[in-house]
Amino acid sequence: MQSNSKSAMDGGFARLRRHLHFLYHSRARPARLFQTCVVTIDLLIIAFFIATPMIRDASAFLWYDYAIAIVLAVDLTCRGLAETDLKRWLRQPTVIVDIFILITLLFPAYLANLGFLRILRLWSLSRSGFLWRPLSKRQLARWQQPVQAVLNLVTFLFVATGFIYTFFFRFSPGFAGYIDALYFTVATVTTTGFGDITLPGPWGKLTAIVTMICGISLFVRLAQSIFRPNKVYFPCPRCALQMHDPDAVHCKACGEILAIPDDGNS
């Protein structure tokens, strides 16, 4: 009896994993609807993370915080069960980032100063396939690199804003202080340099230097992805691989001869 019960439990667990793998990785219509819901919830959670500095003193903040922790924990558990190689999945940078974000949600009182790193959830979402499958479905895969570059830049802007707000504008709580931090970040990243808001002390200067260097690098990457992408959209006629090097002669997946147009013969 015990052996039969254990076999039934193992069989039920295996079916659960197969079903989760279908939901998270399949391109069938039910799976795509599920993935759309997951992305929508993720975007709402990211909006909460962006607004956290302005609503941290609200009486219901901890309720929201722990509710999101539960949602994120369930999502991480389900994604882990959907994977065939759990150890390899746990070593992925996006998973490590999500686990760290979950820890900051579970211990908000102790890790409040690291809350700004929760915006990295936007980066981990951009590295997943959920956002790009609808683009490929609508023959818009060529926009993946520019959109991803924009998301990387937006992620950096809000991470930098959260850091600057936490460590330099914490005595100006609420909306005004956060807007000052965002204003300083954008002015620094774009090298506008109005000078009406500055960060005090040596650490303020070092923060501005790092913000400028990282921001300029991301702006250059965004320009490259728009005007000179590392990969070009050109579906292979044999295997349908869509992204290739601009100077590729053969498809790296199947060896088919390609005729990718360039600026001279497009």
Side-chain angles (χ1 to χ4, degrees):
M1 290 292 293
Q2 291 182 354
S3 176
N4 292 337
S5 176
K6 183 178 180 181
S7 298
M9 290 179 61
D10 291 342
F13 185 69
R15 286 194 297 272
L16 174 63
R17 295 192 64 178
R18 287 195 297 270
H19 185 63
L20 289 173
H21 183 82
F22 168 79
L23 290 176
Y24 277 91
H25 299 288
S26 175
R27 297 196 177 189
R29 179 176 175 80
R32 285 190 282 111
L33 290 174
F34 171 79
Q35 293 161 15
T36 301
C37 292
V38 171
V39 170
T40 302
I41 293 172
D42 266 324
L43 293 175
L44 292 174
I45 290 174
I46 291 166
F48 171 80
F49 290 159
I50 293 174
T52 292
M54 294 172 279
I55 63 175
R56 187 178 296 165
D57 297 328
S59 57
F61 174 76
L62 285 180
W63 290 101
Y64 299 142
D65 189 277
Y66 288 127
I68 289 174
I70 293 173
V71 172
L72 187 56
V74 171
D75 178 56
L76 275 172
T77 302
C78 291
R79 282 195 287 147
L81 291 175
E83 295 296 322
T84 54
D85 189 344
L86 183 60
K87 291 183 179 179
R88 180 174 175 272
W89 178 76
L90 286 172
R91 291 195 295 266
Q92 295 179 3
T94 54
V95 177
I96 295 173
V97 167
D98 286 342
I99 292 174
F100 171 79
I101 292 170
L102 177 60
I103 293 173
T104 66
L105 288 166
L106 292 174
F107 304 98
Y110 300 101
L111 299 175
N113 285 345
L114 297 178
F116 65 91
L117 292 175
R118 294 174 181 176
I119 311 300
L120 289 173
R121 177 71 175 177
L122 180 59
W123 173 80
S124 64
L125 179 64
S126 73
R127 307 301 297 183
S128 70
F130 284 6
L131 288 180
W132 314 123
R133 287 170 191 165
L135 291 179
S136 61
K137 182 75 174 178
R138 294 170 174 78
Q139 304 299 318
L140 297 174
R142 70 188 68 188
W143 293 102
Q144 177 173 339
Q145 288 189 50
V147 173
Q148 199 162 37
V150 169
L151 291 178
N152 289 340
L153 179 60
V154 171
T155 300
F156 171 76
L157 287 176
F158 281 108
V159 168
T161 298
F163 175 85
I164 291 169
Y165 175 84
T166 300
F167 292 99
F168 294 96
F169 289 90
R170 57 188 171 201
F171 298 113
S172 301
F175 186 73
Y178 189 79
I179 290 298
D180 285 342
L182 178 61
Y183 173 79
F184 173 84
T185 302
V186 174
T188 303
V189 166
T190 58
T191 67
T192 304
F194 290 118
D196 51 344
I197 297 179
T198 58
L199 303 184
W203 288 109
K205 294 178 181 178
L206 290 174
T207 300
I209 291 171
V210 172
T211 303
M212 282 186 280
I213 293 174
C214 294
I216 286 296
S217 301
L218 289 171
F219 267 121
V220 170
R221 179 69 187 93
L222 174 59
Q224 286 179 337
S225 67
I226 295 174
F227 299 107
R228 194 181 62 182
N230 293 332
K231 302 286 185 180
V232 296
Y233 178 79
F234 187 84
C236 174
R238 177 185 293 180
C239 70
L241 182 68
Q242 296 182 343
M243 305 301 292
H244 296 87
D245 294 327
D247 58 349
V249 178
H250 297 86
C251 174
K252 65 180 180 181
C254 67
E256 177 76 6
I257 295 177
L258 303 175
I260 301 176
D262 55 25
D263 294 335
N265 59 12
S266 58

